[in-house]
Amino acid sequence: MLIQVLGPGCKNCKTVEANVREALQALNMEANVEKVTDFSDIINLGVMKTPGLIIDGEIKASGRIPSSEEIKGFLTK
């Protein structure tokens, strides 16, 4: 599983990454968590507002911070 956190490295992006790691730990799951900070890469992935969250190529959130509970839902569907 590949989880991509998209954003320039701001506080909100770091919060999304922390929520992802918290969700993974709560579910006892492992995944590759990749930070994408280059804006051209972010746009090429289809995200126009950061922070963004992509799981296995599917955009799950854009322009907002999903909670760890919401991310757990993404990971178990």
Side-chain angles (χ1 to χ4, degrees):
M1 177 181 297
L2 175 61
I3 300 173
Q4 295 170 294
V5 178
L6 291 69
C10 63
K11 179 183 177 202
N12 290 342
C13 303
K14 291 177 183 175
T15 301
V16 172
E17 182 182 6
N19 289 351
V20 165
R21 295 189 186 282
E22 182 180 321
L24 287 169
Q25 183 175 8
L27 294 171
N28 199 26
M29 294 177 73
E30 290 190 21
N32 291 326
V33 180
E34 175 183 282
K35 294 174 77 175
V36 181
T37 58
D38 184 85
F39 280 112
S40 62
D41 291 339
I42 292 169
I43 291 170
N44 287 334
L45 288 167
V47 173
M48 299 300 156
K49 289 185 177 181
T50 61
L53 177 66
I54 297 177
I55 299 175
D56 287 337
E58 185 178 336
I59 298 171
K60 297 294 187 176
S62 176
R64 64 184 186 84
I65 302 170
S67 68
S68 61
E69 287 299 314
E70 185 178 7
I71 294 168
K72 283 196 268 186
F74 296 152
L75 296 172
T76 55
K77 288 184 181 177

